[in-house]
């Protein structure tokens, strides 16, 4: 499986720092309002939550603040991400963090044991997303929810306009665009209809989906079909 670092040609530490900088933008008030409306009502008071591709752990930290005492589990393929997550302060107990590749090994959870499984901007890079979804379905508890937030296809010009800062000088802007062209083919694999089809093949029913703020992302709230 190609990692985000390999795709973007950045180091582990550069990607950690990039995810830290972008966290507040990706998990803003609009996201949490959507979460509170469509995800939280289906969860127990102290849920078991698994974040696949947890990165530096900031989303798990946010979940701990909303669900003190929750059983939190995070997996990632990059040790630097897990090292940063291990240094965060969590409400209640610290999460169980696993260096793990979901494409090569079963998730570190028993059948029907997880109330909330989350994947944010991970599934699109995996070579066989349907097999991964079936593994997610295996661990999901009866009545549990799968929260998927991932890239959706947009025109190249719209992608570049969104991703390249307007205040760059011409040379820096050209360099940024050159760097993003290879990423465009990775980020723009799936339309919303494609994701709905993939989720159905993986055994999920989509309860609601919405583009919250960015035209490049869609957030799907799913349950086992």
């Amino acid at each position: 499986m190609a990692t985000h670092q390999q795709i973007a040609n950045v180091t582990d530490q550069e990607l950690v720092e990039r995810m830290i900088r972008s966290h507040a933008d990706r998990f803003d008030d609009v996201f949490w309002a959507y979460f509170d409306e469509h995800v939280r009502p289906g969860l127990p008071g102290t849920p078991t939550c698994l974040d696949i591709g947890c990165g530096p752990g900031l989303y798990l930290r946010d979940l701990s603040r909303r669900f003190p005492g929750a059983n939190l589990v995070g997996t990632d393929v990059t040790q630097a991400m897990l090292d940063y997550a291990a240094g965060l302060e969590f409400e209640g107990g610290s999460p169980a963090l696993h260096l793990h590749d979901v494409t090569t090994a079963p998730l570190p959870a028993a059948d029907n044991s997880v109330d909330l499984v989350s994947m944010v901007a991970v599934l699109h890079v995996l070579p066989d997303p349907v097999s991964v979804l079936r593994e997610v379905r295996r661990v999901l508890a009866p009545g549990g929810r799968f929260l998927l937030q991932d890239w959706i296809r947009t025109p190249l010009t719209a992608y570049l306009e969104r991703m390249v800062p307007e205040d760059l000088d011409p040379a820096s802007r050209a360099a940024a665009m050159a760097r993003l062209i290879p990423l465009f083919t990775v980020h723009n694999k799936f339309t919303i209809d494609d994701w709905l089809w993939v989720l159905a093949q993986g055994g999920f029913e989509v309860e609601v989906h919405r583009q919250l703020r960015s035209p490049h992302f869609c957030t799907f709230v799913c349950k086992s079909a």
Side-chain angles (χ1 to χ4, degrees):
M1 180 189 76
T3 66
H4 285 91
Q5 296 93 308
Q6 292 168 330
I7 294 168
N9 193 28
V10 296
T11 67
D12 290 354
Q13 189 57 39
E14 286 171 336
L15 187 60
V16 170
E17 293 170 359
R18 183 180 298 179
M19 294 188 69
I20 294 168
R21 289 194 303 270
S22 65
H23 178 77
D25 185 58
R26 290 180 291 118
F27 297 94
D28 59 5
D29 290 344
V30 174
F31 171 85
W32 288 111
Y34 182 80
F35 182 97
D36 289 341
E37 180 179 0
H38 296 292
V39 180
R40 188 167 192 155
L43 302 180
T46 53
T48 294
C49 303
L50 167 61
D51 187 16
I52 303 172
C54 67
L58 297 170
Y59 169 66
L60 285 172
R61 179 205 60 190
D62 295 347
L63 285 176
S64 78
R65 293 171 177 174
R66 287 162 172 80
F67 300 100
N71 178 31
L72 302 177
V73 182
T75 70
D76 206 277
V77 296
T78 301
Q79 187 62 50
M81 296 289 186
L82 302 177
D83 291 343
Y84 187 91
L88 296 174
E89 293 186 5
F90 293 85
E91 298 292 333
S94 297
L97 300 172
H98 301 267
L99 186 66
H100 178 269
D101 182 350
V102 69
T103 68
T104 62
L107 289 167
D111 294 358
N112 309 313
S113 64
V114 182
D115 301 298
L116 173 64
V117 179
S118 301
M119 292 185 79
V120 178
V122 172
L123 196 57
H124 72 280
V125 303
L126 306 185
D128 185 1
V130 172
S131 294
V132 171
L133 289 171
R134 290 172 180 161
E135 174 63 5
V136 170
R137 192 171 183 270
R138 176 188 70 80
V139 305
L140 200 64
R145 294 296 183 273
F146 173 48
L147 180 64
L148 171 68
Q149 188 177 52
D150 218 316
W151 289 89
I152 57 171
R153 192 180 303 165
T154 54
L156 175 58
T157 53
Y159 175 80
L160 293 175
E161 287 173 2
R162 172 83 178 179
M163 299 292 286
V164 178
E166 295 181 356
D167 58 353
L168 292 180
D169 62 78
S172 298
R173 186 173 180 81
M177 287 188 177
R179 180 181 61 82
L180 285 165
I181 294 296
L183 290 176
F184 174 78
T185 60
V186 176
H187 290 156
N188 287 269
K189 291 179 180 178
F190 298 102
T191 65
I192 290 177
D193 285 342
D194 292 337
W195 278 123
L196 294 173
W197 185 89
V198 168
L199 287 161
Q201 295 306 303
F204 286 97
E205 174 187 340
V206 177
E207 295 186 303
V208 63
H209 62 87
R210 187 178 304 166
Q211 293 172 255
L212 298 180
R213 192 170 55 80
S214 168
H216 306 292
F217 276 86
C218 191
T219 304
F220 303 83
V221 179
C222 315
K223 64 180 181 180
S224 295

